[in-house]
Amino acid sequence: MLKQIMIPVAAFAITATGASAFNSDLLDKIDVDLTDTQIETLAEVHELKQAGEVQKDEVIEILAEAGIDRELMKEIRNGVREVRSEKREAIK
């Protein structure tokens, strides 16, 4: 059951962190309470992904160990979208 829930989370983590350079400053700007450990874990997943050293199962384990579940990833994704939207509006 946990595996079924975490696979979409892992997929998001891989694509979200792989789509652009990892930016912990962006995570600081979103309205989501993340611990330093969780931010470091997201950075670690990004680095592992960039190096081609991580599989989905490993990402699931790494995220789960840091307390990053599907709901938290959803909050992160929504927060990042909001910050990026605000930046686009400011540029316009």
Side-chain angles (χ1 to χ4, degrees):
M1 177 70 172
L2 178 63
K3 190 172 183 178
Q4 290 174 331
I5 293 171
M6 293 301 289
I7 287 175
V9 172
F12 172 76
I14 290 170
T15 57
T17 58
S20 60
F22 182 80
N23 186 345
S24 62
D25 292 336
L26 179 61
L27 293 178
D28 289 336
K29 293 177 185 176
I30 64 176
D31 189 23
V32 176
D33 291 327
L34 296 172
T35 65
D36 290 339
T37 300
Q38 290 170 326
I39 292 171
E40 291 168 7
T41 299
L42 290 169
E44 177 186 352
V45 168
H46 173 72
E47 290 173 15
L48 291 171
K49 163 55 168 105
Q50 293 296 97
E53 298 177 4
V54 69
Q55 302 295 320
K56 285 183 184 180
D57 290 343
E58 294 168 309
V59 171
I60 292 167
E61 290 177 28
I62 293 168
L63 293 174
E65 287 174 10
I68 301 172
D69 61 9
R70 184 180 186 149
E71 186 60 34
L72 183 56
M73 285 304 298
K74 183 178 178 181
E75 289 178 40
I76 293 168
R77 181 181 61 235
N78 290 338
V80 168
R81 285 181 181 165
E82 185 176 320
V83 168
R84 287 183 177 162
S85 177
E86 290 170 1
K87 282 185 179 182
R88 282 191 295 271
E89 287 302 313
I91 291 170
K92 286 181 183 179

